[in-house]
């Protein structure tokens, strides 16, 4: 009955000109089209409740460019591997890099990026508040995949800098972003959890340069329980829309646990939002007021006005680094998750409480400029993160832990969230890595997941594909 309701809503929303029939805008749907295996023996260990090959904050562990899809992971022998396949095929070609994972830390992910300006593939890997490892391909590799050999010879040496630019000795969370002009930016955190700053670097086709830090760890935050004077901003993502605006949702994590009702919780609080119209050089709050200039002492701080779009105190185990996406009109959308107040006003074990009572919410800015939030009626059943994508009709899809997929139609105002796929048969561990770029490339929802295992027993790593409404 629920699917009939979605379809009826879509039909009613269609405008039909007199004397001429017009097809209704379809609501959300997914049709599984295939699964491929990247590695039957990928490295497996659980740390920070996650896997190093499937932490959803990777940007990108899986990406599509010029008709080919690319993936990166660590094998059971700890080697870093990068692979590609032509869209529509099931065979992956792999290259084993000389780098080996240095520690059993699930934060030490591999992220991929493409500099369109010169057609190079870039990889940043294996870092958690320490040094990083960087590899880039030869120029033109991504522009001519059908005629360029996929061998180790197309990749340069593993570096511990960006072509001589060191950035910081406390580096975490690499996220590559392609600018509208084809340059490549790298977002990262300087410092540590609870005391860190976000920063940007930029590659122009010839060299990297550091743009600098743009968020602050300073200032005093006070809850009803206590105060904290240090923190870090955790990004839900950082993305350009079609008009060139750079969007970033975030949460704050406080260093001092005195701000919580219980030491078993997590100090994350509030969902904030900022944007940039000059490629990350300056940042503005939702009202358009200037709040930061990258690389200066004026950075986004917890004490700045107008940052919070959904307030929440630290007592509900709000998750950091969830997900965001922009729609065809350039309006920002995000997924956030926490334990709602109806289950209590104090979480005492954030993993157990999120697993038992956590819920995800869709937060978005509507066309009138107001913020709206809708609870997605699918229990998390996990402490982990949910991912968000929008299709060509701006229908929304939330990909939950274990590969479950829920959807909501734009025509309903995103009020009709329902489960579309229950993850049956995947045996997925938890979080999945979404190919954010493939949705636009060929109307496919594609994600990487790893099968559940135990201890340090390697398990299979897969990519599963779902077609979206055409």
């Amino acid at each position: 009955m629920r699917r009939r309701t979605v379809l009826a809503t879509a039909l009613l929303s269609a405008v039909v000109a007199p004397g001429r029939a017009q097809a209704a805008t379809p609501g959300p749907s997914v049709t599984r089209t295939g699964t491929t295996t990247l590695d039957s023996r990928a490295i497996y260990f659980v740390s920070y409740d996650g896997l190093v090959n499937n932490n959803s904050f990777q940007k990108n562990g899986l990406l599509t460019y010029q008709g080919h899809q690319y993936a990166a992971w660590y094998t059971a022998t700890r080697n870093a591997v990068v692979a590609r396949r032509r869209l529509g095929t099931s065979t992956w070609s792999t290259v084993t890099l000389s780098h080996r994972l240095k520690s059993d830390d699930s934060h030490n992910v591999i992220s991929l990026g493409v500099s369109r300006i010169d057609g190079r593939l870039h990889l940043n890997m294996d870092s958690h508040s320490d040094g990083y490892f960087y590899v880039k391909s030869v120029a033109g590799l991504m522009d001519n995949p059908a005629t360029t050999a996929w061998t180790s010879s197309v990749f340069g040496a593993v570096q511990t800098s960006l072509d001589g630019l060191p950035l910081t000795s406390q580096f975490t969370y690499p996220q590559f972003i392609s600018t509208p002009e084809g340059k490549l930016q790298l977002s990262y955190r300087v410092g540590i959890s609870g005391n860190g700053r976000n920063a940007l670097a930029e590659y122009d086709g010839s060299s990297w340069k550091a743009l600098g830090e743009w968020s602050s760890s300073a200032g005093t935050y006070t809850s009803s329980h206590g105060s904290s004077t240090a923190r870090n901003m955790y990004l839900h993502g950082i993305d350009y829309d079609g008009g060139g605006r750079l969007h970033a949702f975030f949460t704050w994590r406080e260093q001092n646990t005195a701000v919580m009702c219980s030491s078993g919780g997590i100090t994350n609080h509030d969902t904030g939002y900022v944007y940039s119209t000059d490629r990350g050089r300056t940042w503005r709050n939702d009202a358009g007021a200037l709040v930061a200039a990258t690389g200066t002492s004026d950075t986004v701080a917890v004490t700045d006005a107008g940052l919070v779009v959904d307030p929440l105190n630290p007592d509900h185990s709000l998750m950091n680094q969830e997900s965001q996406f922009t729609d065809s009109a350039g309006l920002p959308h995000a997924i956030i998750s926490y334990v709602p107040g109806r289950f209590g006003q104090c979480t005492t074990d954030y993993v157990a409480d999120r697993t038992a009572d956590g819920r995800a919410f869709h937060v978005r800015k509507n066309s009138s400029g107001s913020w709206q939030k809708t609870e997605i009626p699918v229990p998390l059943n996990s402490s982990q993160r949910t991912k968000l994508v929008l299709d060509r009709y701006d229908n929304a899809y939330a990909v939950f832990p274990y590969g479950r997929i829920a959807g909501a139609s734009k025509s309903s105002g995103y009020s009709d969230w329902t489960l579309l796929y229950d993850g049956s048969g995947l045996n997925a561990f938890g979080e999945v890595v979404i190919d954010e770029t493939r949705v636009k490339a060929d109307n496919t929802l594609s994600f990487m997941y790893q099968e559940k295992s135990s201890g340090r027993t390697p398990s299979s790593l897969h990519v599963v594909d779902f077609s979206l409404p055409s």
Side-chain angles (χ1 to χ4, degrees), residues 327-390:
D327 64 24
S328 60
L331 296 171
H333 298 239
I335 295 289
I336 65 173
S337 66
Y338 58 88
V339 178
R342 66 177 181 272
F343 297 109
Q345 297 298 325
C346 180
T347 55
T348 58
D349 182 326
Y350 86 91
V351 172
D353 291 340
R354 282 179 56 83
T355 301
D357 299 317
R359 298 293 187 272
F361 298 81
H362 176 210
V363 177
R364 68 183 182 95
K365 191 171 187 177
N366 62 29
S367 58
S368 65
S370 300
W371 289 94
Q372 293 182 261
K373 182 171 74 170
T374 304
E375 180 175 337
I376 303 174
V378 178
L380 290 182
N381 298 329
S382 169
S383 65
Q384 298 179 291
R385 300 170 179 88
T386 298
K387 299 296 292 181
L388 175 69
V389 296
L390 274 65

Side-chain angles (χ1 to χ4, degrees), residues 81-375:
V81 172
V82 60
R84 77 175 181 185
R85 66 167 170 170
R86 184 168 54 84
L87 295 182
T89 67
S90 59
T91 302
W92 293 85
S93 300
T94 62
V95 170
T96 301
L97 302 177
S98 61
H99 181 73
R100 299 179 75 235
L101 179 66
K102 65 187 179 187
S103 63
D104 289 354
D105 186 333
S106 65
H107 289 76
N108 291 21
V109 299
I110 304 175
S111 292
L112 302 171
V114 179
S115 51
R116 297 196 311 273
I117 197 168
D118 62 356
R120 295 182 193 266
L121 180 65
H122 302 250
L123 295 86
N124 192 295
M125 52 193 168
D126 206 355
S127 61
H128 186 194
S129 301
D130 54 8
Y132 59 88
F133 298 87
Y134 168 69
V135 176
K136 71 178 182 182
S137 77
V138 297
L141 174 68
M142 306 299 283
D143 296 327
N144 303 290
T147 58
T148 306
W150 188 251
T151 65
S152 58
S153 64
V154 302
F155 292 96
V158 177
Q159 306 177 47
T160 54
S161 68
L162 299 179
D163 295 336
L165 181 68
L167 296 181
T168 174
S169 61
Q170 291 184 310
F171 179 101
T172 316
Y173 303 126
Q175 296 190 64
F176 287 111
I177 324 111
S178 295
T179 72
E181 300 80 16
K183 297 179 182 179
L184 185 66
Q185 294 180 322
L186 177 63
S187 167
Y188 59 98
R189 186 186 72 191
V190 178
I192 62 174
S193 175
N195 191 8
R197 289 89 58 204
N198 289 328
L200 286 171
E202 187 174 84
Y203 174 75
D204 64 2
S206 60
S207 62
W208 283 94
K209 68 176 178 179
L211 301 184
E213 298 176 8
W214 63 272
S215 75
S216 173
S217 59
T220 299
Y221 168 80
T222 302
S223 73
S224 60
H225 310 291
S227 296
S228 176
T229 58
R231 69 205 45 83
N232 71 279
M233 175 193 285
Y234 273 121
L235 295 177
H236 286 311
I238 183 164
D239 301 277
Y240 284 98
D241 65 24
R245 177 173 290 193
L246 185 59
H247 302 262
F249 285 91
F250 62 89
T251 61
W252 295 109
R253 174 173 292 180
E254 298 300 322
Q255 185 180 62
N256 191 352
T257 59
V259 300
M260 296 187 296
C261 59
S262 169
S263 61
I266 192 168
T267 60
N268 298 340
H269 63 91
D270 295 321
T271 297
Y273 169 78
V274 290
Y275 70 89
S276 173
T277 56
D278 55 8
R279 310 301 187 256
R281 270 61 175 182
T282 60
W283 296 89
R284 297 180 181 274
N285 66 16
D286 181 46
L290 186 67
V291 291
T294 300
T296 74
S297 60
D298 182 16
T299 51
V300 181
V302 72
T303 52
D304 286 338
L307 301 180
V308 176
V309 297
D310 189 69
L312 188 70
N313 66 36
D315 296 338
H316 295 273
S317 294
L318 175 68
M319 181 48 65
N320 49 281
Q321 298 163 287
E322 201 102 37
S323 188
Q324 68 173 46
F325 215 82
T326 56
D327 64 24
S328 60
L331 296 171
H333 298 239
I335 295 289
I336 65 173
S337 66
Y338 58 88
V339 178
R342 66 177 181 272
F343 297 109
Q345 297 298 325
C346 180
T347 55
T348 58
D349 182 326
Y350 86 91
V351 172
D353 291 340
R354 282 179 56 83
T355 301
D357 299 317
R359 298 293 187 272
F361 298 81
H362 176 210
V363 177
R364 68 183 182 95
K365 191 171 187 177
N366 62 29
S367 58
S368 65
S370 300
W371 289 94
Q372 293 182 261
K373 182 171 74 170
T374 304
E375 180 175 337

Side-chain angles (χ1 to χ4, degrees), residues 324-469:
Q324 68 173 46
F325 215 82
T326 56
D327 64 24
S328 60
L331 296 171
H333 298 239
I335 295 289
I336 65 173
S337 66
Y338 58 88
V339 178
R342 66 177 181 272
F343 297 109
Q345 297 298 325
C346 180
T347 55
T348 58
D349 182 326
Y350 86 91
V351 172
D353 291 340
R354 282 179 56 83
T355 301
D357 299 317
R359 298 293 187 272
F361 298 81
H362 176 210
V363 177
R364 68 183 182 95
K365 191 171 187 177
N366 62 29
S367 58
S368 65
S370 300
W371 289 94
Q372 293 182 261
K373 182 171 74 170
T374 304
E375 180 175 337
I376 303 174
V378 178
L380 290 182
N381 298 329
S382 169
S383 65
Q384 298 179 291
R385 300 170 179 88
T386 298
K387 299 296 292 181
L388 175 69
V389 296
L390 274 65
D391 67 19
R392 62 177 59 175
Y393 303 107
D394 287 334
N395 298 312
Y397 301 81
V399 186
F400 284 79
Y402 317 119
R404 298 166 295 157
I405 305 172
S409 64
K410 178 184 179 181
S411 61
S412 73
Y414 305 100
S415 64
D416 57 0
W417 282 98
T418 189
L419 190 66
L420 302 175
Y421 177 73
D422 66 3
S424 295
L426 297 184
N427 192 34
F429 166 81
E431 290 181 1
V432 302
V433 173
I434 296 287
D435 187 339
E436 298 176 357
T437 54
R438 190 171 178 186
V439 176
K440 294 180 180 179
D442 74 344
N443 203 42
T444 299
L445 171 57
S446 188
F447 63 80
M448 182 166 65
Y449 71 93
Q450 189 161 353
E451 291 190 25
K452 295 176 186 175
S453 186
S454 60
R456 292 187 49 81
T457 303
S459 67
S460 293
L461 183 69
H462 305 284
V463 174
V464 61
D465 304 324
F466 299 84
S467 63
L468 300 176

